[in-house]
Amino acid sequence: MDLFTFTRAELTAPVQFCDGRWVVSSYADVRAVLADPMTYLPDNALTAVTPVAPAALRALVRARFSLPPTLANNGSASHAELRRLVASFFTPARVAAAEPRIRALALERLGGSDLVASLAWDLPAIVLMDLLGLEDVDIPTLKRWSTGSLEFFWGDITTERQLELVDDVGAFHQWLVKRYEAREGVLFRALADAGVSAEDSAGLCYFLLIAGQETTTQLLSTALRRALRDRELWERLPLPGVAEAFVEDVLRTETPVVTWRRLTAREVVLSGVRVPAGAELVLLLSGKENDPKHLAFGYGRHFCLGAGLARLEAAVVLRTVAEREPSLRLAGDEPEWLTLLSFRAPKSVTVAR
């Protein structure tokens, strides 16, 4: 079984050893693991899946790159205060206030033949920059940095590919440090005022500026493609509540954040299987139709801070496109897919009118 492409149907047990990692797939087990950060440590959440080659590591050292424990990979006492600070940018009121902007951006991007390139690619990044108070951000450069970082840290890649990506990874980190030192943007001023160091701020923002928009691009791409395969659904998407319910169904069974990782702090038993201390767990977040709730945004103290924003963006975009382009249909061949350990989504959604 290939950890980068496997499906739930390929799993033969709720806890399965594969390629040096333990794949955990039952809803109850995954929820229990995420709910217990003392037994199941988040320390490996941002660790490169493919070990970083010495030449790439030297390049990161030259760029003074680091990902200190801040949010997703932080099991220490500092997590709560950092989380509260970042959460202040994603309050329900602030997220709801973004709806007109999301709709306007979607309307501006209608008419393209590839809904990923014309719509899903940059819309979430623009909305996130607005919400975080970061101005004068070159969105194409940010997207190059963030997509390259996803591949560098979550891809099954060669040393040659690491060396192709490492300069962008380092440049992204250096840009974050410079923004912090210059106090450019509301987010960086808030971090500085709270006494968060340059190193911790850059590490926190590195993942925040990736996860806060790349995963939403992936959600939009997945949801648009799936909705366009169901003509009856496409016609109903403009009706009240339909887009929201559909987004939840996509998150439940086809979430683009397909897995997440944890480390066992001690020997544990999951679904009757004894797993040793220090084992790397790959938690399957994509669930089944009959799961009580989905785990697409995680669970517990590390629940995704941007969940409300992602839900809103997906529902508003789906509703807007379906309203304005009711005759839209899929066209072309099967798309190429993003296939990283934790992220999967179509790289294109080609349409015809």
Side-chain angles (χ1 to χ4, degrees):
M1 185 177 74
D2 186 342
L3 279 176
F4 293 83
T5 60
F6 79 92
T7 64
R8 177 175 284 279
E10 292 178 69
L11 298 172
T12 57
V15 179
Q16 187 168 331
F17 190 69
C18 178
D19 194 23
R21 299 177 173 96
W22 298 82
V23 180
V24 181
S25 58
S26 83
Y27 175 89
D29 285 341
V30 172
R31 187 177 183 274
V33 169
L34 293 172
D36 184 357
M38 303 304 292
T39 303
Y40 305 98
L41 306 174
D43 302 33
N44 64 334
L46 307 183
T47 302
V49 174
T50 301
V52 180
L57 187 59
R58 287 193 292 271
L60 292 179
V61 171
R62 287 194 298 271
R64 297 185 179 180
F65 181 93
S66 66
L67 283 179
T70 53
L71 291 179
N73 62 341
N74 192 352
S76 74
S78 67
H79 174 267
E81 187 57 36
L82 289 170
R83 183 178 173 87
R84 276 193 293 271
L85 193 156
V86 175
S88 67
F89 289 87
F90 296 93
T91 63
R94 286 176 60 85
V95 169
E99 181 168 353
R101 174 70 160 150
I102 296 167
R103 180 172 173 81
L105 288 169
L107 289 170
E108 290 173 6
R109 284 157 174 72
L110 295 177
S113 60
D114 175 7
L115 298 184
V116 175
S118 64
L119 175 65
W121 182 77
D122 67 348
L123 185 152
I126 295 169
V127 173
L128 182 66
M129 297 307 103
D130 287 351
L131 214 62
L132 296 177
L134 300 181
E135 300 175 350
D136 301 320
V137 176
D138 185 294
I139 298 297
T141 300
L142 174 65
K143 292 295 292 186
R144 188 183 77 244
W145 286 340
S146 60
T147 56
S149 295
L150 282 185
E151 185 179 356
F152 188 91
F153 284 98
W154 282 275
D156 181 16
I157 57 176
T158 63
T159 297
E160 289 72 23
R161 184 58 178 158
Q162 283 185 346
L163 293 174
E164 290 172 0
L165 295 169
V166 72
D167 287 344
D168 277 345
V169 172
F172 187 15
H173 189 269
Q174 290 177 321
W175 178 82
L176 293 168
V177 171
K178 290 176 182 176
R179 295 286 297 226
Y180 172 89
E181 291 175 340
R183 307 299 193 262
E184 292 180 4
V186 177
L187 173 62
F188 290 104
R189 289 195 291 273
L191 289 166
D193 290 345
V196 183
S197 70
E199 181 184 36
D200 284 355
S201 293
L204 183 154
C205 293
Y206 183 86
F207 183 70
L208 178 62
L209 267 60
I210 295 173
Q213 49 87 23
E214 285 296 337
T215 55
T216 309
T217 288
Q218 296 161 15
L219 175 58
L220 290 175
S221 305
T222 302
L224 284 163
R225 180 175 181 271
R226 181 162 153 181
L228 284 164
R229 297 169 71 181
D230 185 337
R231 295 312 308 172
E232 182 182 353
L233 169 67
W234 189 254
E235 292 171 1
R236 294 177 57 244
L237 278 175
L239 299 176
V242 174
E244 286 79 1
F246 174 66
V247 169
E248 293 305 304
D249 189 56
V250 173
L251 288 167
R252 180 190 304 275
T253 60
E254 205 173 347
T255 174
V257 187
V258 67
T259 70
W260 210 239
R261 286 176 290 165
R262 287 291 185 266
L263 283 173
T264 54
R266 57 176 174 80
E267 184 181 89
V268 297
V269 176
L270 293 167
S271 287
V273 176
R274 194 171 299 277
V275 179
E280 182 166 5
L281 307 182
V282 176
L283 310 176
L284 184 61
L285 301 184
S286 182
K288 298 176 290 188
E289 290 288 350
N290 60 352
D291 285 339
K293 291 184 180 180
H294 68 69
L295 297 167
F297 296 116
Y299 183 78
R301 66 181 293 187
H302 288 94
F303 183 82
C304 176
L305 288 168
L309 180 62
R311 284 176 160 125
L312 179 68
E313 287 184 80
V316 171
V317 168
L318 284 163
R319 185 160 47 243
T320 301
V321 178
E323 279 175 354
R324 294 303 180 96
E325 301 206 78
S327 63
L328 210 61
R329 65 184 188 279
L330 286 176
D333 299 327
E334 176 72 14
E336 181 183 355
W337 281 70
L338 178 73
T339 52
L340 307 177
L341 179 66
S342 292
F343 307 96
R344 295 185 195 171
K347 291 186 176 182
S348 62
V349 178
T350 305
V351 294
R353 292 165 178 82

